[in-house]
Amino acid sequence: CNSQSDCNPTEKTRIQRKEFSGYTEFTWVFFISVIGFALVACVISYSYDKFKRRSDPVASSETRRRSMKRRANKYALDKIGQKSVYRFFLGKSWVGWMVASAVMAIQIWILFTFVRGAEFDLSDDNSDFVYTWKCPRDKVECDNKADLTAAGWVMFGILMASHLLKDLVNGSKMIVLSAKEGYQPNSRIRFFVGGLFLSTVTMFTLFASTIYNKAIATSNTEVIANAVII
């Protein structure tokens, strides 16, 4: 409790019960997991595509391969976004790659600030954790002042899906595309990197939004407002 009789239970968070010190430490596991899932998806897509080509001679014909190459770049650009800065990952310009990498780094840095703010460490000045219990000294029992309900989290999920689901699906399609045969190795690397970075930032945005809302949101309106801001 603090001097204003605001309190919060001292029980460990789910992350801490998994032997992590907090969300900051878990973030590195999160990134490694996303990369791991991307590699697994790539291997599965490659194996399926190879099996399909063996069983379908038409799919492995040279004419079809040339047609696929012509459509690949346009398809990738459509999926990653014609106006997205991530489109530079599909090009060969080092300047474009530097610009896209800088933007991605800034996005992750900003989101990481919210991760730090969600830490359940009341002694940390960087934590924005909100007390939700009121324990007046003249009362035996404490009152939970939080008004956040399941409906608030449902609305939060709808907002996240409407803003992030498209990018996650398109990033996944890029990763799957990178495993297809018939493309140059350099093109496949660009497809994979573009899809991986788009998916990673999207998933990290969802992760940061969820834990930050869990740490500070005390009402349905707050969880919605925080979701829009982040």
Side-chain angles (χ1 to χ4, degrees):
C1 299
N2 60 17
S3 59
Q4 285 78 39
S5 299
D6 296 322
C7 302
N8 207 77
T10 56
E11 62 182 7
K12 293 183 177 180
T13 63
R14 291 183 180 180
I15 295 297
Q16 291 172 331
R17 289 197 291 268
K18 297 295 183 181
E19 304 302 325
F20 293 100
S21 61
Y23 293 120
T24 302
E25 181 181 349
F26 178 76
T27 297
W28 301 109
V29 178
F30 173 84
F31 284 134
I32 293 172
S33 299
V34 172
I35 295 172
F37 281 122
L39 291 173
V40 170
C42 195
V43 171
I44 293 175
S45 176
Y46 175 80
S47 300
Y48 174 76
D49 187 62
K50 198 166 186 178
F51 172 78
K52 185 177 179 181
R53 289 177 180 278
R54 285 181 177 177
S55 59
D56 185 4
V58 177
S60 59
S61 66
E62 188 63 30
T63 302
R64 183 174 177 82
R65 289 186 181 184
R66 285 196 297 267
S67 176
M68 288 174 59
K69 289 179 183 179
R70 288 194 299 267
R71 293 181 298 174
N73 287 332
K74 185 179 184 304
Y75 176 84
L77 192 59
D78 288 340
K79 292 305 174 186
I80 208 166
Q82 294 280 353
K83 298 181 180 179
S84 172
V85 70
Y86 288 96
R87 73 184 187 278
F88 291 124
F89 286 124
L90 302 179
K92 300 179 181 179
S93 170
W94 284 105
V95 175
W97 272 66
M98 290 175 62
V99 170
S101 298
V103 170
M104 185 189 71
I106 292 172
Q107 287 179 312
I108 291 177
W109 173 59
I110 293 173
L111 290 170
F112 191 74
T113 302
F114 287 99
V115 173
R116 288 289 304 275
E119 291 286 12
F120 181 50
D121 185 358
L122 302 178
S123 63
D124 187 356
D125 293 336
N126 292 314
S127 177
D128 297 331
F129 196 88
V130 174
Y131 293 94
T132 57
W133 290 83
K134 196 74 173 180
C135 300
R137 289 182 173 85
D138 59 345
K139 290 186 178 181
V140 177
E141 297 182 351
C142 298
D143 296 323
N144 188 357
K145 299 299 183 180
D147 297 322
L148 180 58
T149 65
W153 285 112
V154 169
M155 289 183 282
F156 168 79
I158 293 173
L159 281 173
M160 289 292 98
S162 63
H163 285 86
L164 302 178
L165 186 59
K166 181 180 178 181
D167 286 341
L168 181 60
V169 170
N170 288 340
S172 300
K173 288 182 177 180
M174 291 282 295
I175 293 172
V176 171
L177 179 65
S178 70
K180 302 291 185 181
E181 290 186 349
Y183 304 125
Q184 294 295 326
N186 289 340
S187 296
R188 295 169 72 174
I189 291 174
R190 290 196 294 270
F191 295 159
F192 180 80
V193 170
L196 175 63
F197 286 171
L198 181 60
S199 299
T200 300
V201 172
T202 302
M203 290 295 295
F204 192 44
T205 301
L206 177 61
F207 171 70
S209 298
T210 302
I211 63 172
Y212 192 73
N213 266 308
K214 191 173 179 60
I216 75 163
T218 59
S219 66
N220 292 342
T221 53
E222 283 186 7
V223 79
I224 295 171
N226 293 335
V228 173
I229 292 171
I230 299 176

